[in-house]
Amino acid sequence: MCFRPGQADDALTTICVERGMAGLNVAPKRKEIYKYEAPWTLYSMNWSVRPDKRFRLAIGSFVEEYNNKVQVISLDEDSAEFSAKSTFDHPYPTTKIMWIPDAKGVFPDLLATSGDYLRIWKAGEPDTRLECLLNNNKNSDFCAPLTSFDWNEVEPNLIGTSSIDTTCTIWGLETGQVVGKVGGTGNCVSGHVKTQLIAHDKEVYDIAFSRAGGGRDMFASVGADGSVRMFDLRHLEHSTIIYEDPQHRPLLRLAWNRQDPSYLATISMDACEVVILDVRVPCTPVARLSNHRACVNGIAWAPHSSCHICTAGDDHQALIWDIQQMPRAIEDPILAYTAAEGEINQIQWGATQPDWIAICYNRSLEILRV
């Protein structure tokens, strides 16, 4: 399989076997890795969660100019090839891409992107169209760039954005629920600001909703002040500081455990480790995952397990860790993939595809069977 057991620096981890050998219930002859080469350097990427779109992803270009692209690609399992289903223009590179968390397929087929603004798109083949542009600074031509956002899984009409202007904004969407509408020129999606708050003392770099307390009202954010802060939409007059980086380095990303809302992971700027936190024991990490040999860029919890997390970084490695022995030290990853041909800047574990992890490096997207 693509991920090989052993320590991260084991030379055998570079072997990627494409004949269903070791692994869990791997059928023979099935490929373990699929690759797509984009026309431009990739950064943002995410899996679709619709049940009828098994191997569909959206990818965003990283071109240092105004004109960028977003592409929707899909894997044909018979031909074992990815193909582009839709390509559309996007102002500036997307800082994040996310599909509506609609595992039952009852909402319109929507895609969101962040950059200068939050944009909601209606996916189509070949035409994906802009449904609405959400800007909470109506009185000025200036807009503070959005660093990230999260789409609430329990309440898909809620999206939270983080910005360099120190704020987080919670948006309420009206999706119209007009599925299969024919004719007419009006868009069926609109949005409004439900609340905006100053979340940090400096730029906010990431935001993520928690599944705790019903999964609707709790969220956390990280930022340039080096702190992880937790908020409750029902009590926004105060927040809880979960962690502060000892060197006050900016914290760039955070991710909640998908099965146990007590745990979250974060990474600091230029750090070769991932910090695991327990919200019940604030300010003291319960684990540090330290086997990367260059800075970590991405973290992704397993969708189906509370004790597995994948990390990826500039050392061309994606590592899977088993954290169930916490609070004892986690010495080594249980699986490693080191065949990436460049610095991995993005990693996503398919929410409805627990056997597959997607990574991006240079112009390449790869999906890897775990």
Side-chain angles (χ1 to χ4, degrees):
M1 56 186 196
C2 294
F3 286 90
R4 300 291 292 176
Q7 298 189 14
D9 56 1
D10 184 347
L12 289 176
T13 62
T14 61
I15 299 172
C16 183
V17 180
E18 294 193 357
R19 307 184 305 269
M21 290 174 65
L24 300 176
N25 302 318
V26 179
K29 302 292 186 184
R30 292 191 63 183
K31 289 187 69 171
E32 305 300 316
I33 178 171
Y34 297 91
K35 186 174 182 178
Y36 177 73
E37 200 75 19
W40 8 254
T41 301
L42 294 175
Y43 173 64
S44 55
M45 167 270 291
N46 224 324
W47 293 87
S48 170
V49 299
R50 287 180 73 92
D52 57 337
K53 305 286 186 181
R54 243 170 64 84
F55 285 97
R56 182 176 67 164
L57 300 98
I59 53 177
S61 68
F62 186 82
V63 182
E64 293 186 24
E65 57 185 51
Y66 180 79
N67 296 312
N68 274 259
K69 298 286 187 181
V70 172
Q71 199 167 69
V72 176
I73 63 173
S74 185
L75 176 69
D76 184 318
E77 294 183 72
D78 294 329
S79 67
E81 297 288 338
F82 274 107
S83 61
K85 299 299 183 182
S86 178
T87 304
F88 55 96
D89 294 328
H90 194 281
Y92 304 107
T94 53
T95 54
K96 187 171 182 178
I97 289 176
M98 194 173 180
W99 296 84
I100 186 169
D102 177 22
K104 296 182 179 178
V106 297
F107 285 86
D109 192 8
L110 301 178
L111 179 68
T113 60
S114 55
D116 51 349
Y117 302 110
L118 179 67
R119 291 176 170 84
I120 311 296
W121 309 81
K122 177 70 180 297
E125 298 179 11
D127 297 321
T128 294
R129 72 169 191 264
L130 180 66
E131 285 288 314
C132 66
L133 181 150
L134 302 179
N135 170 24
N136 61 346
N137 193 359
K138 296 286 195 294
N139 301 318
S140 170
D141 291 335
F142 171 78
C143 60
L146 300 179
T147 52
S148 187
F149 71 95
D150 194 27
W151 208 322
N152 192 292
E153 291 184 9
V154 172
E155 179 51 79
N157 289 319
L158 290 180
I159 293 183
T161 58
S162 57
S163 172
I164 66 168
D165 67 3
T166 76
T167 67
C168 289
T169 303
I170 307 299
W171 294 88
L173 292 184
E174 292 83 38
T175 59
Q177 297 287 45
V178 185
V179 183
K181 174 179 161 186
V182 178
T185 58
N187 293 349
C188 65
V189 179
S190 60
H192 64 279
V193 174
K194 291 184 72 74
T195 189
Q196 184 178 40
L197 64 146
I198 296 175
H200 288 258
D201 301 326
K202 296 180 179 179
E203 296 95 332
V204 190
Y205 289 140
D206 203 4
I207 180 174
F209 286 103
S210 166
R211 290 190 175 185
R216 184 187 184 277
D217 298 299
M218 313 281 285
F219 67 93
S221 60
V222 294
D225 59 8
S227 68
V228 180
R229 303 191 183 198
M230 193 165 173
F231 301 87
D232 187 330
L233 289 174
R234 298 160 296 188
H235 307 287
L236 285 175
E237 62 275 6
H238 59 83
S239 63
T240 303
I241 295 179
I242 301 299
Y243 174 71
E244 291 184 289
D245 183 83
Q247 284 82 46
H248 304 291
R249 294 172 299 182
L251 298 178
L252 301 182
R253 292 285 172 259
L254 83 157
W256 288 99
N257 188 305
R258 308 272 278 275
Q259 295 293 326
D260 187 340
S262 296
Y263 296 106
L264 59 89
T266 186
I267 51 178
S268 57
M269 183 178 289
D270 298 327
C272 300
E273 68 174 10
V274 175
V275 173
I276 307 294
L277 306 170
D278 184 339
V279 297
R280 299 163 297 188
V281 190
C283 301
T284 304
V286 289
R288 294 180 182 274
L289 312 179
S290 306
N291 274 60
H292 282 281
R293 297 191 293 269
C295 66
V296 180
N297 297 320
I299 42 180
W301 290 92
H304 60 305
S305 165
S306 63
C307 55
H308 292 97
I309 185 172
C310 192
T311 63
D314 279 357
D315 57 0
H316 301 201
Q317 295 191 112
L319 309 178
I320 295 180
W321 309 78
D322 185 342
I323 64 166
Q324 61 183 327
Q325 68 185 40
M326 295 188 308
R328 288 187 293 160
I330 313 297
E331 299 291 346
D332 295 303
I334 57 169
L335 295 170
Y337 175 69
T338 63
E341 297 166 6
E343 299 172 350
I344 302 174
N345 59 28
Q346 187 67 247
I347 184 166
Q348 299 287 342
W349 204 322
T352 58
Q353 302 276 56
D355 293 340
W356 294 91
I357 289 173
I359 61 171
C360 287
Y361 59 86
N362 302 332
R363 294 187 174 193
S364 300
L365 171 134
E366 291 181 350
I367 64 169
L368 316 168
R369 185 193 292 275
V370 180

